[in-house]
Amino acid sequence: TKLDDSKMAGAEGDDSLYPIAVLIDELRNEDVQLRLNSIKKLSTIALALGVERTRTELLPFLTDTIYDEDEVLLALAEQLGSFTVLVGGPEFVHNLLPPLESLATVEETVVRDKAVESLRKISQEHSPVDLEVHFVPLVKRLASGDWFTSRTSACGLFSVCYPRVSSTVKAEIRQHFRTLCSDDTPMVRRAAASKLGEFAKVLELDYVKSDIIPLFTALASDEQDSVRLLAVEAGVSIATLLPQEDLEALVMPTLRQAAEDKSWRVRYMVADKFSELQKAVGPEITKTDLVPAFQNLLKDCEAEVRAAAANKVKVFCENLPEDSRETIIMTHILPCVKELVSDTNQHVKSALASVIMGLSTILGKDNTVEHLLPLFLVQLKDECPEVRLNIISNLDCVNEVIGIRQLSQSLLPAIVELAEDAKWRVRLAIIEYMPLLAGQLGVEFFDEKLNSLCMAWLIDHVFAIREAATCNLMKLVEKFGAEWAQNTIVPKVLGMANDSNYLHRMTTLFCINALSGVCGQEITTKHMLPVVLKMSTDQVANVRFNVARCLQKIGPVLDSSALQAEVKPVLEKLATDQDMDVKYFALEAISVLALA
Amino acid sequence: SALAMSSAATTPPSVDKVDGFSRKSVRKAKQKRSQSSSQFRSQGKPIELTPLPLLKDVSAQEQPELFLKKLQQCCAVFDFMDTLSDLKMKEYKRSTLNELVDYVTVSRGYLTEQAYPEVVKMVSYNIFRTLPPSDSNEFDPEEDEPTLEASWPHLQLVYEFFIRFLESQEFQPSIAKKYIDQKFVLQLLELFDSEDPRERDYLKTVLHRIYGKFLGLRAFIRKQINNIFLRFVYETEHFNGVAELLEILGSIINGFALPLKAEHKQFLVKVLIPLHTVRSLSLFHAQLAYCIVQFLEKDPALTEPVIRGLLKFWPKTCSQKEVMFLGELEEILDVIEPTQFVKIQEPLFKQISKCVSSPHFQVAERALYYWNNEYIMSLIEENSNVILPIMFTSLYRISKEHWNPAIVALVYNVLKAFMEMNSTLFDELTSTYKSDRQREKKKEKEREELWKRLEDLELKRSLQSDGIIPT
């Protein structure tokens, strides 16, 4: 490294060219935007100065002048995280600590978080000795800072230094963490609670039991629900660390209490982390504890909690122990699910609809037909479009188990209704599922029932819908093939070229753009090209320049004789159009297709 | 994961809310909402209360005992989301609460030592509850109707009763402090997040009384308000009762003894100033500005850190907020001491000069109105040799370029005022305007060249390290 240093410092650190004052002036520019630009190029400045002057001049300057716009500080905090090489490599990395320490104490959360992120990053580049001599003292200073910001930042630094220090220092670190967990500002306790799981992971198992468990228990019964809910997350991580026989005594009482917390936010968190929790505690506790807890969450009085739990129904069932899975689902979970289907809150129903179809693979054909199908059908008729959409978008799961035919009778009215929904976002969503539906329902059903919908979207009054409809046609052709396209959709698309509304005429062009590739040379040359060429004399300039763009787009599909004999003269004519946009796109097409 | 908290509190966006074509106010108008806390729901069982005689119908000796019994009865909490349940009992509790309100207002000798814990218990049972999730994930307090508390018919009377109790002549803080303690205050403060403005209004009075009567709780209350604000600014940006808390603080600050303690100054600089950064500033700006000015009237030496703080957090994109900042700054300038003004005038007028040339005419106009303020004008005049050079370029340029004729007219007046104030300097600046611009352009060019050289260097370096050119 010594040799690298001298190389780095030598050639480029030319004082006459880049006096530090000039560079520092840039970092001090009155205009925030310019200051920000300079900070973002801090590595360039460091490079110009060379490693030694970066260490002795630039870094002290940065440390001393940390009073700036938060945006500038954020950029600085980020830069310093990858500055190791610019100060001369790992043996000098601790030179980066002073500015980052100051940044880790500022008020603005994003700056502080970024400083902590950079500190975590460069901690890995410290040797064990440097870690104890430079890094750990910094963590201790932050942990005992006066203002809450520095103590908050400290919480994120314990776990990165703990594994690589001596046992005396480890004891000190544990002590500091303990202190922060009972800090009198809730902000610090929240930070500590959110890092508890991560810290537990690097601790020796004995200390997890003796140190972490009491902290976890205390944080989980904090007076502030915002602290308690973070403890839930930590509890899940801690549970993965403990041997099965300790779980019941050490974490379950606290987690049970969290699942019944008086604050819905805590219960929400339990519901939200339920799958992780299930994995962490294993099959036995799942059976005895989690199943009843899950039932309660599905029946919670707050819709927020029910929705979070509903989201987990499939994964929870999937991960139940195989020997009792079906029984548990049928006797304990399904009754709750049935109630949720007619919940008063649409978010709950919609959360359920997004996973309920997944149960069919778990329960098999007979149970699906008998118990689930009626629920799907109810949800397909739900008043809320999102619920219906969620069911339709997950049809593939049912398709595998019972085939889609069972559903198609109910499916069709639901699709038609969504296709004509007054809200264009809903129409857009259903269009996006069309290719999937078409694949599952098969070409006959499609032609009979859905084709007309797909064509109707092409003349929707919202552009986004017409655009999506165009793209949808392309995907359908990919599924059903060019011959199908030629017989069913191409004639209709081309027919729109004579529409009196220029927007519809343009839709023809957009469709051709999308379809020529999948339809292939023959259909494109024989059927589409003549229509496009004919439209080059359209009275609306927007149509004409879209003809030029269309020709550019389909050019690669055509053979050279068609290009030369048919496309070229038309483009040349358009290139002399009186409208400048038409001219522009014609010339662009000529040059891209190399017809000049 | 402080953010996880706020996302936990919101519902997932639904398709119908995403539709940009339905106006928000139209969508919201449909729902006349009310809500109740989680704890009231799903109790199920009907509540039975045995009717008691009226307090006025029993002898004076029996009253204290009966008072306690009535307090105990009022601990029963009803589910108001279910409009059909317990109708008789709800009415009975309402009339009992009414009776209690009257009783504590007029009676003498009712407040025995045993009554204190019972009063606090009854109040706690009724008002302390987990606030339910907000119904709308995009609640906009400026446009949307707040969700009203369903149990208000009882809740209002409980608050009313509690305030009369606290204000009663017989009330003795020395006894009450055993029950109205830190934990009680903490729960009270959490309720300020209630969406119901009627409830927050009562809470404001309650907290104010407690702050006034319990000296031992004052520091604690201030600290917890601190925490609420810091969390609001740096973690969630959501708390409904900020304006109410600031209003209480306004009168607390008013009572601070001089010299100000370090704790109070820290509160000003590290909490009140950052509150300006919050998106929903408009909802509590008046109260916030009042607090700031209160501080400055107490201790003028704080002017410099306050103004520097405002300049640091000056809005970059939100013109409405910029107008608010300018308004607050004028309130500060109204009370500024000339010695303080001199300390801060340079950075201050650099900002004002930017505002004056804002393409948003309301911002420019608000800043130009400063020149209608006699006191500010006198300060500018005294320091015109410093301020004029800072302002001149912007004024000169917008007098020629601004799109809005009203702004141009205002700028002409300001230029005229400057000309009358200090004609020598004005002439000098006019004559050097062009050469100054050229010098600036030259400097700009030099900057660009410097960076170009630096970038070449970096490029060369990366080529070297890739072994493309030899070192």
Side-chain angles (χ1 to χ4, degrees):
Chain A
T1 44
K2 268 270 142 52
L3 200 80
D4 288 345
D5 278 356
S6 60
K7 242 196 273 172
M8 278 184 152
E12 292 85 5
D14 186 341
D15 294 40
S16 59
L17 255 180
Y18 314 108
I20 182 119
V22 176
L23 299 174
I24 282 175
D25 260 2
E26 283 300 287
L27 294 172
R28 269 201 289 233
N29 199 305
E30 222 172 80
D31 185 329
V32 187
Q33 195 51 51
L34 292 179
R35 226 154 56 223
L36 191 58
N37 291 346
S38 317
I39 281 284
K40 285 186 175 156
K41 292 179 190 155
L42 197 62
S43 59
T44 313
I45 293 179
L47 206 57
L49 289 171
V51 291
E52 190 158 346
R53 296 184 60 206
T54 297
R55 288 198 300 265
T56 55
E57 295 174 53
L58 184 61
L59 289 178
F61 163 76
L62 292 173
T63 313
D64 290 343
T65 53
I66 295 191
Y67 177 87
D68 203 336
E69 300 268 344
D70 292 327
E71 224 181 325
V72 177
L73 298 183
L74 176 66
L76 178 59
E78 185 170 10
Q79 290 270 314
L80 291 176
S82 39
F83 236 58
T84 309
V85 108
L86 295 162
V87 292
E91 73 183 278
F92 296 100
V93 65
H94 60 266
N95 285 281
L96 298 173
L97 297 179
L100 282 171
E101 182 174 351
S102 313
L103 289 167
T105 64
V106 302
E107 323 292 328
E108 179 49 53
T109 325
V110 285
V111 176
R112 242 186 302 136
D113 287 351
K114 191 53 87 176
V116 170
E117 195 185 312
S118 289
L119 280 168
R120 287 168 69 107
K121 203 164 148 198
I122 65 169
S123 71
Q124 304 308 319
E125 287 157 345
H126 281 70
S127 67
V129 175
D130 280 348
L131 211 54
E132 284 194 21
V133 177
H134 300 287
F135 198 88
V136 173
L138 169 146
V139 178
K140 289 187 199 161
R141 278 194 302 278
L142 288 176
S144 42
D146 279 341
W147 192 241
F148 81 95
T149 51
S150 76
R151 302 200 299 281
T152 306
S153 294
C155 294
L157 297 173
F158 293 107
S159 67
V160 291
C161 47
Y162 189 86
R164 296 168 61 216
V165 294
S166 68
S167 57
T168 349
V169 179
K170 279 182 175 177
E172 288 171 19
I173 291 178
R174 288 195 305 272
Q175 180 52 44
H176 275 286
F177 193 83
R178 246 196 314 271
T179 312
L180 292 179
C181 284
S182 53
D183 198 279
D184 72 340
T185 31
M187 285 78 77
V188 178
R189 294 202 302 280
R190 277 194 286 276
S194 71
K195 300 295 177 196
L196 183 65
E198 166 189 307
F199 188 53
K201 280 186 190 153
V202 298
L203 249 59
E204 298 79 357
L205 185 59
D206 283 344
Y207 290 122
V208 173
K209 291 187 199 171
S210 65
D211 283 39
I212 297 291
I213 295 295
L215 296 177
F216 165 61
T217 314
L219 290 168
S221 44
D222 195 277
E223 63 202 4
Q224 306 249 337
D225 61 0
S226 53
V227 178
R228 296 202 298 277
L229 70 89
L230 291 168
V232 170
E233 219 175 340
V236 175
S237 309
I238 295 167
T240 57
L241 301 171
L242 294 172
Q244 191 70 30
E245 64 269 21
D246 288 327
L247 285 175
E248 179 49 47
L250 297 181
V251 293
M252 283 319 290
T254 310
L255 287 174
R256 267 196 285 270
Q257 169 195 320
E260 289 169 7
D261 196 282
K262 68 179 196 290
S263 163
W264 61 271
R265 290 187 180 86
V266 179
R267 301 195 304 274
Y268 171 93
M269 196 53 138
V270 174
D272 195 47
K273 297 282 163 227
F274 218 78
S275 313
E276 290 89 333
L277 185 60
Q278 187 185 9
K279 253 180 228 145
V281 299
E284 277 319 305
I285 294 182
T286 296
K287 273 195 249 176
T288 55
D289 273 274
L290 295 197
V291 171
F294 194 58
Q295 284 174 292
N296 285 337
L297 292 169
L298 288 172
K299 288 189 256 182
D300 197 277
C301 62
E302 289 302 346
E304 243 83 358
V305 180
R306 293 198 301 278
N311 260 319
K312 305 287 171 190
V313 163
K314 183 196 159 201
V315 189
F316 181 73
C317 294
E318 229 166 31
N319 294 332
L320 285 169
E322 213 164 321
D323 56 354
S324 48
R325 184 189 295 155
E326 193 174 322
T327 330
I328 294 178
I329 298 177
M330 297 307 291
T331 53
H332 300 290
I333 308 296
L334 204 59
C336 302
V337 168
K338 279 183 184 158
E339 274 178 49
L340 290 183
V341 164
S342 44
D343 199 277
T344 49
N345 183 293
Q346 64 171 44
H347 300 300
V348 176
K349 288 185 292 186
S350 137
L352 182 69
S354 67
V355 298
I356 189 174
M357 313 287 271
L359 291 180
S360 42
T361 26
I362 306 172
L363 288 178
K365 190 171 173 182
D366 293 342
N367 279 327
T368 301
V369 172
E370 194 184 337
H371 298 283
L372 294 176
L373 197 57
L375 304 181
F376 301 158
L377 296 178
V378 172
Q379 292 217 297
L380 265 181
K381 295 190 191 92
D382 198 278
E383 55 176 8
C384 163
E386 207 185 31
V387 175
R388 284 174 266 148
L389 269 176
N390 283 346
I391 290 289
I392 290 175
S393 62
N394 286 296
L395 280 175
D396 47 340
C397 318
V398 194
N399 201 6
E400 288 162 20
V401 182
I402 57 168
I404 213 156
R405 290 284 159 187
Q406 299 253 24
L407 267 176
S408 54
Q409 279 314 313
S410 314
L411 213 45
L412 192 64
I415 295 173
V416 173
E417 207 178 309
L418 289 168
E420 291 164 355
D421 197 282
K423 297 190 174 84
W424 67 267
R425 297 247 183 207
V426 175
R427 300 201 294 278
L428 187 64
I430 189 73
I431 294 177
E432 275 156 15
Y433 297 123
M434 264 307 149
L436 186 75
L437 283 170
Q440 284 165 1
L441 293 164
V443 67
E444 286 146 56
F445 187 90
F446 183 86
D447 281 345
E448 197 180 316
K449 316 275 189 190
L450 300 178
N451 194 11
S452 55
L453 285 179
C454 291
M455 300 315 288
W457 282 321
L458 287 175
I459 52 170
D460 197 283
H461 63 277
V462 175
F463 176 75
I465 299 298
R466 299 198 298 273
E467 193 186 27
T470 310
C471 180
N472 173 45
L473 288 186
M474 183 183 79
K475 288 183 185 154
L476 290 174
V477 177
E478 279 170 357
K479 271 213 158 63
F480 295 150
E483 197 184 330
W484 174 82
Q486 195 184 342
N487 294 330
T488 48
I489 59 169
V490 170
K492 290 184 192 163
V493 164
L494 296 181
M496 285 165 60
N498 301 316
D499 200 289
S500 59
N501 185 335
Y502 85 99
L503 290 171
H504 298 169
R505 299 202 293 280
M506 292 217 296
T507 304
T508 300
L509 292 170
F510 297 145
C511 285
I512 292 174
N513 287 343
L515 293 177
S516 64
V518 282
C519 284
Q521 197 180 64
E522 201 197 324
I523 296 176
T524 306
T525 316
K526 230 162 113 189
H527 301 280
M528 297 176 176
L529 183 61
V531 175
V532 179
L533 295 175
K534 199 173 148 224
M535 290 171 84
S536 68
T537 55
D538 198 288
Q539 64 196 24
V540 177
N542 291 39
V543 177
R544 294 200 302 278
F545 80 63
N546 274 299
V547 166
R549 295 174 75 182
C550 180
L551 288 171
Q552 176 183 334
K553 178 95 191 176
I554 68 173
V557 184
L558 304 169
D559 65 22
S560 62
S561 69
L563 275 174
Q564 289 296 334
E566 302 183 64
V567 175
K568 188 177 172 185
V570 169
L571 281 176
E572 278 170 348
K573 182 155 172 279
L574 288 174
T576 61
D577 199 283
Q578 61 199 19
D579 185 279
M580 61 185 257
D581 293 322
V582 178
K583 236 189 246 180
Y584 172 85
F585 286 110
L587 288 170
E588 189 182 77
I590 289 173
S591 106
V592 169
L593 297 174
L595 293 174
Chain B
S1 65
L3 285 172
M5 173 73 222
S6 65
S7 73
T10 55
T11 45
S14 65
V15 173
D16 63 25
K17 278 189 179 165
V18 183
D19 192 336
F21 285 105
S22 69
R23 265 198 15 249
K24 206 172 170 189
S25 46
V26 177
R27 271 183 285 131
K28 287 287 158 65
K30 283 181 262 169
Q31 335 163 342
K32 177 78 185 170
R33 292 163 304 132
S34 72
Q35 62 184 14
S36 190
S37 110
S38 330
Q39 84 195 44
F40 295 138
R41 297 180 203 175
S42 74
Q43 281 184 338
K45 282 169 281 171
I47 297 169
E48 276 307 323
L49 302 174
T50 320
L52 297 168
L54 293 178
L55 283 157
K56 68 176 166 58
D57 292 345
V58 302
S59 69
Q61 300 102 292
E62 289 172 288
Q63 281 185 8
E65 175 83 34
L66 185 57
F67 179 60
L68 292 186
K69 278 192 181 151
K70 292 198 175 227
L71 285 172
Q72 279 152 10
Q73 281 197 329
C74 288
C75 287
V77 171
F78 293 90
D79 180 0
F80 273 81
M81 291 308 278
D82 185 346
T83 47
L84 296 175
S85 69
D86 305 312
L87 284 179
K88 258 199 190 137
M89 288 299 119
K90 280 178 186 166
E91 175 52 27
Y92 172 70
K93 179 173 169 184
R94 199 193 59 78
S95 65
T96 306
L97 282 168
N98 256 326
E99 192 195 3
L100 292 176
V101 171
D102 291 343
Y103 186 69
V104 292
T105 316
V106 297
S107 300
R108 293 289 167 265
Y110 73 96
L111 210 46
T112 60
E113 248 189 273
Q114 297 99 296
Y116 284 86
E118 292 303 320
V119 167
V120 174
K121 187 173 144 204
M122 189 278 275
V123 170
S124 303
Y125 270 54
N126 278 281
I127 68 171
F128 295 151
R129 62 208 194 277
T130 306
L131 296 170
S134 179
D135 258 358
S136 44
N137 55 345
E138 43 182 52
F139 181 66
D140 174 357
E142 282 193 309
E143 195 181 357
D144 298 339
E145 286 290 309
T147 310
L148 298 178
E149 176 57 51
S151 61
W152 192 243
H154 285 174
L155 208 51
Q156 176 180 20
L157 292 171
V158 174
Y159 278 118
E160 195 67 51
F161 166 79
F162 191 41
I163 290 169
R164 305 284 175 98
F165 166 75
L166 291 169
E167 288 174 350
S168 150
Q169 284 177 351
E170 297 186 9
F171 178 77
Q172 286 179 274
S174 56
I175 304 174
K177 74 178 181 192
K178 270 185 267 173
Y179 313 105
I180 297 179
D181 54 4
Q182 296 195 347
K183 186 156 187 262
F184 184 92
V185 167
L186 206 56
Q187 288 173 283
L188 196 70
L189 284 168
E190 275 175 22
L191 290 177
F192 275 82
D193 194 21
S194 166
E195 243 180 71
D196 194 329
R198 300 168 304 181
E199 177 167 24
R200 296 201 305 270
D201 209 51
Y202 272 106
L203 284 165
K204 195 171 67 188
T205 314
V206 170
L207 186 65
H208 209 163
R209 294 294 169 271
I210 292 179
Y211 191 89
K213 291 185 190 280
F214 298 85
L215 304 188
L217 286 173
R218 287 185 176 181
F220 180 78
I221 291 174
R222 289 196 305 269
K223 196 162 119 199
Q224 295 310 322
I225 293 181
N226 248 323
N227 289 341
I228 289 175
F229 284 169
L230 288 169
R231 174 159 181 234
F232 174 64
V233 173
Y234 294 115
E235 293 182 8
T236 60
E237 287 218 348
H238 174 87
F239 192 83
N240 289 314
V242 175
E244 283 82 1
L245 291 176
L246 283 169
E247 211 174 301
I248 297 170
L249 282 166
S251 55
I252 292 180
I253 296 165
N254 207 311
F256 282 162
L258 287 173
L260 288 177
K261 286 192 211 160
E263 174 214 327
H264 301 325
K265 292 185 190 172
Q266 191 179 50
F267 172 67
L268 169 68
V269 175
K270 297 215 168 192
V271 183
L272 288 185
I273 299 289
L275 268 176
H276 288 85
T277 60
V278 176
R279 201 174 28 180
S280 55
L281 176 67
S282 64
L283 295 173
F284 53 84
H285 181 250
Q287 291 83 350
L288 178 58
Y290 178 78
C291 287
I292 301 273
V293 173
Q294 289 295 304
F295 260 114
L296 298 186
E297 291 204 284
K298 283 263 162 195
D299 184 357
L302 293 168
T303 310
E304 186 178 348
V306 163
I307 293 184
R308 281 195 189 278
L310 288 179
L311 294 177
K312 181 179 174 189
F313 294 131
W314 201 270
K316 302 258 183 330
T317 53
C318 181
S319 308
Q320 262 71 41
K321 266 175 93 174
E322 226 176 330
V323 172
M324 284 184 249
F325 270 56
L326 285 165
E328 181 173 349
L329 209 48
E330 183 164 2
E331 282 180 54
I332 293 172
L333 289 174
D334 272 331
V335 300
I336 201 170
E337 290 187 355
T339 48
Q340 298 297 326
F341 181 81
V342 177
K343 286 189 200 161
I344 199 69
Q345 56 179 349
E346 282 190 53
L348 177 61
F349 277 85
K350 277 180 188 160
Q351 182 57 55
I352 293 174
S353 141
K354 278 187 209 155
C355 294
V356 160
S357 42
S358 167
H360 195 296
F361 84 97
Q362 285 172 333
V363 175
E365 187 182 59
R366 187 66 193 83
L368 288 163
Y369 280 166
Y370 283 12
W371 273 263
N372 295 341
N373 182 316
E374 271 180 42
Y375 181 60
I376 297 179
M377 266 305 265
S378 72
L379 292 168
I380 295 176
E381 187 157 9
E382 272 167 51
N383 300 284
S384 64
N385 54 336
V386 180
I387 295 170
L388 182 49
I390 298 172
M391 295 294 300
F392 186 80
T393 313
S394 298
L395 292 173
Y396 193 84
R397 198 167 44 76
I398 38 175
S399 74
K400 302 202 183 318
E401 287 174 9
H402 205 281
W403 63 272
N404 184 305
I407 296 299
V408 173
L410 283 170
V411 165
Y412 270 119
N413 285 338
V414 172
L415 280 171
K416 199 166 140 251
F418 271 127
M419 199 159 36
E420 284 159 8
M421 246 176 236
N422 194 338
S423 59
T424 334
L425 181 56
F426 192 90
D427 291 343
E428 204 177 294
L429 289 166
T430 318
S431 62
T432 56
Y433 180 81
K434 267 209 180 117
S435 55
D436 284 349
R437 295 296 76 71
Q438 272 162 358
R439 201 170 333 118
E440 268 169 32
K441 272 193 190 139
K442 193 168 158 247
K443 227 173 129 191
E444 178 59 24
K445 227 174 156 184
E446 284 169 4
R447 279 196 62 252
E448 273 171 26
E449 275 164 19
L450 169 72
W451 280 106
K452 211 177 148 339
R453 270 184 296 167
L454 287 173
E455 269 149 29
D456 288 347
L457 169 72
E458 199 172 29
L459 191 69
K460 201 171 97 195
R461 157 64 52 103
S462 77
L463 290 177
Q464 275 174 7
S465 65
D466 293 347
I468 296 171
I469 58 170
T471 46

